[in-house]
Each structure stands twice: as structure tokens, then as C-alpha cells.
Amino acid sequence: MNTTTAPDADIVLVEYSDQDSKLITDTLVKNNILNTTVRLKDGHELLDLVFARGPYEKASVKMPKVILLDVHLPTVSGLDVLRELRNNKRTKNIPVMVFTSQESDSEAFERYKLGVTAYIHKQLDTEKFEEALLQVQLYLKTYRILILEDNPDDAELLLYQIASFNIQLISRIASTREEYIQALDTFDPDVVIADFNIPPNFNAIQAIRLLRKKNPRVPFILISGGLTEEFAAGCLSEGIDDYLLKSNLKRFPISLTNMLRKKKVEDEKDLALQMLKQSEERYREIIETAQEGIWVLNAENQTIFVNKRLAEMLEYTEEEMMTKSFFHFMDEDDRATSAEHFNTLGKGKKIQLGIKLNSKSGKKVWTSISGNPLYSKDGRYTGAFGMITDITALKTVQFNLESKVTELNAFLYHTSHVLRGPVSSSRGLINVLHMMSQDPEEKEFLKMLDDCNVDMITMLEELTRISTLYYKPMIHERIDFGDVIQEAINDLKEYPGVSQAHFSTYIDDHIEFYSDPFVLRPVFISLFKNSATYCSETRTCNIYTTVTQKNGTIRIEVTDNGDGIAPEFQSRVFDMFYRAHKKARGPGLGLYIVKHIAERMQGQVSLRSEAGKGTTVILSVPLSSSSVVASSSLN
């Protein structure tokens, strides 16, 4: 049995729809939830993974921290998947957030009491959908919860209810003022949950005041058996973040999510201001002299420092950029690629990438980014430092240059055609004079003039081919190599030496290659012309062509028995305008055209040659280039 390596992921997303899957993963990345996520399309895949069966039977499987499960899946429903998860000791406590499309979906799950961690309705607007999905953060870490409750049974019941939400926690219970103060010093809680009255003389108002002196950002939740609206409003005015009834804690996960998000934002603002203050002297010289933008991110890829140059580049103030995610400044299409690069940063590797950023006004700013990881003294990754160069002007020059190249090729294409007319007319007049003349010497001069015209026409044809490769739109059709080769031979029937040459061809059966015959024909024309030009004067010129298909590659070989090429010239024969032999005719563009076409088709060209014995030119083109050539112009 084949064994598949089990993915090591904190989050497993089970979603058949590619569109919904992209929405969910983009939302996670946008909100800096960069934990490893694996996407499965089918409920059977999830069950095989968590129960180490099927392709994972011999694999070492790590349980995910949270499962995001769609209700509607092929072959096995989300309801059946969750039922099987809850009936197994290994998986019964894994948090499972269920995506629903209609109210009846959640009713079905509740009917079977399967312990759904949260329901997320796909039809919510974007903001509410993100708010619901971000509850996933609750299940990706362990929280330190301090309970202020004088009744031990009530405290244990409260912890049991919180644990039922599948939140990983470490807890401490304080039943007096003294125990509470000691816990604030030694336990360092992430959240405090308190009853209002703690006999004999302590209450939640006093507790929140003590907490705010110690740590103003830690969420404080009031738990009570019953609260009036006026009393609850008074508690909130004292700084209590939320209140819940002991008899109904269903809102606890959402409440905790919102409070932790608020705390995180406030902590990051404080950290940003603190770092700005601490680093003012250290960075002042860099800030004052740097022509590049400077960007410092924390471990969650949120902005904690930018210099004035970067803010100007993106049309923000420095304050406006603070705490914003790096991904906030780019389009959705670029976020996934950038997230991969930033994961690389977190592993201690430098990055270099070019990317479009969005300015405040919506203008696209092309940038080159060089990023370096930052570490604390104990070696912990704390963020990244980046140098940002605005290359928009360079990109504009590049686009303009490409436009000019296109215009130049069009000019070359039309000029070659215009010049060919007068040269052809000149040949016609020379042929008339040659027929009328009776003087042998005069006929020889006329032949020399006609040879010059032939060379001129050859050069114009090759220049036309080069320009047309850029200028002419590509077509896409199945190539009949036999027809293409014969058409190339027919095009050369007046070329010196071709009519005396002996051509033979071998083509594999059932070759399916799609391209533009106009692109391929110049390859054979150039190679046949070279073979005819350099034929030996002492033997018949044989030109043998093979076209074969193997391992996803089309291989074209043209072999002749001509003069061959000396070793010292072989490395340059594919250069533009290079002529390695005294017999050379034309401008020396033939093999350059062949090499150029090969590269444009994602292939390569090479040759074997031995002086006095002949030459073989080999062109290898991957079959995959068929689709590439079909979808784009050679430009």
C-alpha cells in the first residue's frame, strides 16, 4: 500500500468549493493568521487523515488544533463527518467550526448535539463573515484564565463550561482579595473572569481597578447570576470589558475573541509607540539619509515603524501606517505569494522580491523589497526589517521601451517588404538583359549583379522573419511536420544548391504538437539553406531530417554531409550576423533565427559538427510549449 506523508497543519479546512476555499484562506492571511493550513475537498479525506487510515495508515499523524468543516460535501456530509469525529476519543475534543448556507443546517447539527464549536454562515456580509471566522484564533493557543470566585463549586463549574468550548486553558482560582493580588503578580493572566461580590469586603469594581493598575490591557469579564441594565452599564463605565450570565455562557467565545483582538490592537499600538521612542536615536541617521523606504514589521507582519520616505511613497502619514498589516497595502492576488515569502522570513532567511503596493489614493507603486528577519536576544523571531525601493519609473521606462521595440519591429517588417519590390524588379530587368545579351563578359557581369540581388533578397527575407516573429499575432493549430518541411523546400527551390540536394525525412507517427506553422517553417528554411550553402563540391548534398517525440519533448534534427564547422567557430554560429565560412551568403541571421525561435518556444538548440564530414543541428521543444505558444504572442 502506498503511504502518503501526513500534513503537519494547525488548521484543516474541509471545503469542496475552490471559490469558498480561497475566500476563507485569504481572510485568514489578511488577518495575520498564518498558521499552517491544509485544505481537503472531501469528508473521507479528513477521516482518513485524523484516524490514520487509507493513504495515511503508516504515517505519523498530528491532530489539528481546529477543523473548519463545510456542511455540504461530496460522498459524505459534514454532519456524518462530525458525528464520527465526536464518537472517537482521539478527536471528540477537537474544535470544529461549521460553515452553513441556511438556518436548517445548524438546526440539524444541534438536533444531534454534536458539539459544534461555532457556526459561520457563508451568506454574511464580508465584515461579519471575517468577525465570525476569526474565532479560529481562540483555538490556536493556550490561554491563562484567572477566576475570581469565592465559591469553589461555582468556579469549577465555570471552568468546566469554558472547557466545553474546546478552548485550551491554564487556570487559577482566587477566592479572596489577597489571592487575587498575588495571582496578578505571579500568574500573568490573559483574561480575568470575576463574580461581582467576593465576601467579606471585595468586589469586581475593586478588582478591575487593581487589574488596570497592573495591566490595563487584560480583558475583564463580569460573571453574575443576574444583572440589571443600569448596574451593567455602571460596571462597563468602570472599565469592565463585558458581562455574562452564569446561566448562559454561549456568548463567551465571541466575547473573548473581540476582547483579545481589541487588546492585541492596543498592545501593538503601545509597542509601536514604545519602539519608536526607543529607536529614535538609533534610526535617526538612517532616516535622514536613506533614499529608500524603511519598513519594520512585528512577528505578525504588522507595521511598527516606517520612515518618512516610505510614507510619502505610499501617500500616507507615518501614523496612518502604524499597526496596519503589510498585506493591507497590496491586492488580494499578491497576498498569497507574499505570505509564502514572509513565512520564509520567519524561518530566518532573507527575501528579495518585486511587488506592486497600493498607495492611499489607489495608485499602483512598483517596488523592490529586500527583507531581513529580526530576532530578540534569546533568538526568538520578532519581525522583519525591509528596505523598499520605488521602481515605478523603471517599470514605466521598461513598458515604454517594449512599446518602442514593437514599433521598431513593425517598421522593419514594412520596410523589408517595401525594399523587396525594387530588388525583385531589378532582378527581372537583369534577367531580360541577360537573355538579350550575346556578349559572354557582359553576361558574367549581369550574373554577378543578379547574385548581389539574391543576397539582398535573402537578407530582406531574414529581416522580415525576425520582425514578423514579434509583429505577427500567433495562431494555434496542429502541426503537420511533413507539410511544413515540404513548404520550406518549395520556398527554397530557387536558392543555389537546393535543387541539386537530396532530401529525406523521417517523422514519428501520431505526433500531436500545436503551434504556428509560420514560426516553425523559418527553422527548416534556415537549416536547409545552411546545408545547401556548405555542401561539399566533391559529393552529392544529402539533407536528412528527423522529427521524433519522446518524454514530452519534440526533437527535430537536420543532418547534412557538407563541409562541417571547425571547433573554434561552433560556439558563435548562433550569434546575430556571424559568418564563419567564406561560402557564407546573406547577413548571417539564419541560425540566430533558429535559436531565437527555440527560446521563444521554451526549447533549446545545439549542434554537432566535424570539419569535412557534415553537421547536425538539434532543436528540442517541450510539448507543454504548445499551450504557452497558443495563449501568447512571441512578444
Side-chain angles (χ1 to χ4, degrees):
M1 177 181 293
N2 293 329
T3 300
T4 301
T5 302
D8 184 2
D10 292 334
I11 303 171
V12 172
L13 168 62
V14 189
E15 172 61 66
Y16 183 74
S17 165
D18 292 337
Q19 181 179 354
D20 289 349
S21 174
K22 185 176 186 304
L23 172 64
I24 294 165
T25 53
D26 285 350
T27 301
L28 295 175
V29 171
K30 179 182 176 182
N31 290 275
N32 291 306
I33 301 175
L34 301 179
N35 298 66
T36 307
T37 302
V38 63
R39 183 254 181 128
L40 306 176
K41 285 191 171 185
D42 185 270
H44 282 307
E45 293 183 67
L46 173 65
L47 296 175
D48 285 347
L49 174 63
V50 297
F51 295 137
R53 64 194 189 193
Y56 305 105
E57 183 176 352
K58 296 182 180 180
S60 176
V61 176
K62 172 189 171 184
M63 288 295 115
K65 292 181 178 179
V66 62
I67 295 172
L68 306 180
L69 178 67
D70 190 24
V71 170
H72 304 288
L73 296 171
T75 68
V76 57
S77 71
L79 181 65
D80 291 333
V81 170
L82 186 56
R83 183 186 289 115
E84 191 163 344
L85 291 175
R86 292 301 181 236
N87 287 334
N88 188 286
K89 290 182 179 180
R90 295 185 63 205
T91 58
K92 65 182 297 183
N93 293 320
I94 296 178
V96 178
M97 302 175 69
V98 173
F99 293 101
T100 64
S101 301
Q102 50 196 12
E103 293 298 329
S104 59
D105 292 336
S106 57
E107 292 173 2
F109 278 83
E110 288 302 308
R111 190 181 309 123
Y112 291 100
K113 301 185 183 303
L114 295 175
V116 175
T117 303
Y119 295 101
I120 303 175
H121 203 293
K122 289 185 177 180
Q123 306 304 320
L124 293 172
D125 61 59
T126 302
E127 183 176 345
K128 290 183 178 179
F129 178 81
E130 288 189 8
E131 180 179 333
L133 181 58
L134 291 183
Q135 292 182 61
V136 73
Q137 296 176 100
L138 284 180
Y139 311 106
L140 298 175
K141 64 171 286 186
T142 299
Y143 294 93
R144 304 170 68 84
I145 297 181
L146 173 58
I147 306 291
L148 178 59
E149 171 63 72
D150 64 310
N151 187 325
D153 292 336
D154 284 354
E156 291 297 334
L157 178 61
L158 180 60
L159 285 174
Y160 175 79
Q161 290 176 300
I162 294 173
S164 70
F165 296 118
N166 297 316
I167 297 173
Q168 301 177 66
L169 57 88
I170 300 173
S171 64
R172 179 175 293 187
I173 299 173
S175 58
T176 65
R177 182 178 188 276
E178 290 71 22
E179 289 178 358
Y180 177 74
I181 293 174
Q182 182 182 19
L184 292 181
D185 289 333
T186 60
F187 185 61
D188 190 21
D190 293 310
V191 60
V192 174
I193 303 174
D195 195 359
F196 184 78
N197 284 311
I198 307 297
N201 55 3
F202 194 47
N203 60 42
I205 301 300
Q206 295 170 310
I208 185 65
R209 290 172 180 170
L210 288 172
L211 176 64
R212 292 295 174 247
K213 289 180 182 179
K214 188 72 177 177
N215 190 332
R217 301 291 187 230
V218 172
F220 190 101
I221 301 176
L222 177 63
I223 302 288
S224 180
L227 293 173
T228 65
E229 291 294 330
E230 291 182 2
F231 184 75
C235 291
L236 293 175
S237 67
E238 288 289 340
I240 290 174
D241 295 284
D242 202 354
Y243 61 90
L244 300 172
L245 295 176
K246 289 183 178 181
S247 59
N248 185 7
L249 293 179
K250 288 184 178 180
R251 203 165 51 83
F252 178 77
I254 295 177
S255 175
L256 182 57
T257 300
N258 292 335
M259 286 185 289
L260 291 174
R261 189 189 311 161
K262 177 183 176 183
K263 174 183 179 296
K264 184 178 180 181
V265 170
E266 291 173 346
D267 284 346
E268 286 163 351
K269 286 182 179 179
D270 285 349
L271 178 62
L273 293 173
Q274 180 183 355
M275 289 192 67
L276 277 174
K277 184 177 180 180
Q278 292 175 348
S279 63
E280 182 177 355
E281 292 298 328
R282 181 174 37 168
Y283 289 112
R284 178 172 296 170
E285 184 176 353
I286 297 175
I287 294 171
E288 290 175 351
T289 59
Q291 296 300 310
E292 288 79 23
I294 297 173
W295 206 334
V296 182
L297 306 173
N298 64 13
E300 285 75 38
N301 301 319
Q302 292 176 311
T303 304
I304 57 176
F305 175 78
V306 294
N307 68 345
K308 185 177 180 181
R309 172 70 184 112
L310 180 60
E312 290 174 348
M313 192 186 302
L314 298 180
E315 301 177 338
Y316 287 88
T317 65
E318 294 159 74
E319 290 75 17
E320 286 174 329
M321 292 185 68
M322 301 307 291
T323 75
K324 283 186 169 62
S325 168
F326 174 79
F327 305 109
H328 171 84
F329 299 92
M330 65 181 67
D331 294 333
E332 288 189 11
D333 292 343
D334 296 320
R335 285 175 183 159
T337 302
S338 299
E340 292 178 9
H341 284 287
F342 276 81
N343 284 334
T344 300
L345 266 177
K347 296 176 182 177
K349 297 181 180 179
K350 299 178 181 180
I351 62 171
Q352 184 78 39
L353 69 154
I355 199 166
K356 295 193 302 291
L357 297 176
N358 297 326
S359 70
K360 187 176 181 180
S361 67
K363 181 179 69 176
K364 304 298 182 185
V365 181
W366 280 94
T367 62
S368 173
I369 299 178
S370 176
N372 291 274
L374 298 176
Y375 299 95
S376 62
K377 291 182 179 179
D378 59 1
R380 182 171 48 88
Y381 175 73
T382 59
F385 175 89
M387 298 291 287
I388 320 299
T389 304
D390 185 349
I391 59 172
T392 305
L394 180 63
K395 281 288 184 180
T396 302
V397 170
Q398 179 182 340
F399 295 147
N400 291 338
L401 181 60
E402 290 172 355
S403 176
K404 296 299 181 185
V405 168
T406 301
E407 292 175 7
L408 180 60
N409 282 314
F411 172 77
L412 183 60
Y413 175 79
H414 291 292
T415 302
S416 300
H417 275 278
V418 170
L419 289 176
R420 184 167 179 168
V423 175
S424 297
S425 298
S426 174
R427 285 200 72 195
L429 292 173
I430 289 172
N431 286 334
V432 172
L433 290 172
H434 191 276
M435 289 186 292
M436 294 174 59
S437 175
Q438 302 298 321
D439 185 346
E441 186 175 356
E442 187 176 276
K443 283 179 174 265
E444 182 63 27
F445 278 120
L446 289 172
K447 183 180 181 304
M448 292 171 62
L449 283 174
D450 191 50
D451 287 345
C452 290
N453 279 330
V454 170
D455 290 342
M456 176 65 75
I457 288 176
T458 299
M459 181 182 70
L460 292 175
E461 287 176 346
E462 292 183 351
L463 289 174
T464 301
R465 289 190 187 104
I466 292 175
S467 61
T468 308
L469 289 174
Y470 289 99
Y471 184 65
K472 179 181 175 292
M474 295 291 296
I475 62 175
H476 181 55
E477 62 183 53
R478 184 171 177 177
I479 298 298
D480 185 325
F481 282 98
D483 287 348
V484 173
I485 291 171
Q486 189 57 53
E487 288 169 3
I489 296 172
N490 293 340
D491 286 348
L492 293 171
K493 60 185 178 181
E494 294 185 10
Y495 190 81
V498 170
S499 60
Q500 292 79 34
H502 175 71
F503 288 89
S504 56
T505 303
Y506 170 80
I507 302 173
D508 271 353
D509 294 333
H510 311 302
I511 290 180
E512 286 196 26
F513 183 72
Y514 291 83
S515 186
D516 190 336
F518 177 85
V519 173
L520 279 174
R521 192 160 63 245
V523 171
F524 294 103
I525 289 174
S526 297
L527 296 180
F528 293 163
K529 282 171 61 177
N530 275 4
S531 294
T533 298
Y534 302 113
C535 272
S536 171
E537 297 176 357
T538 62
R539 56 180 178 265
T540 301
C541 180
N542 293 318
I543 302 174
Y544 181 53
T545 304
T546 66
V547 183
T548 56
Q549 177 180 330
K550 186 177 180 181
N551 297 330
T553 300
I554 296 295
R555 182 181 175 94
I556 300 169
E557 293 189 15
V558 176
T559 301
D560 63 54
N561 62 340
D563 294 334
I565 304 171
E568 62 267 27
F569 300 129
Q570 292 182 16
S571 63
R572 296 191 58 193
V573 293
F574 293 104
D575 293 348
M576 182 182 284
F577 301 124
Y578 185 72
R579 303 169 69 179
H581 200 286
K582 62 182 180 180
K583 287 185 179 181
R585 301 176 64 96
L589 291 172
L591 290 180
Y592 168 77
I593 292 175
V594 174
K595 178 185 177 184
H596 185 72
I597 292 173
E599 290 174 347
R600 293 297 185 181
M601 298 178 73
Q602 300 180 335
Q604 55 186 0
V605 64
S606 60
L607 65 79
R608 300 190 304 267
S609 186
E610 187 175 349
K613 293 188 176 181
T615 300
T616 297
V617 178
I618 304 106
L619 175 69
S620 298
V621 180
L623 280 175
S624 59
S625 71
S626 294
S627 58
V628 174
V629 171
S631 62
S632 64
S633 164
L634 281 180
N635 196 22

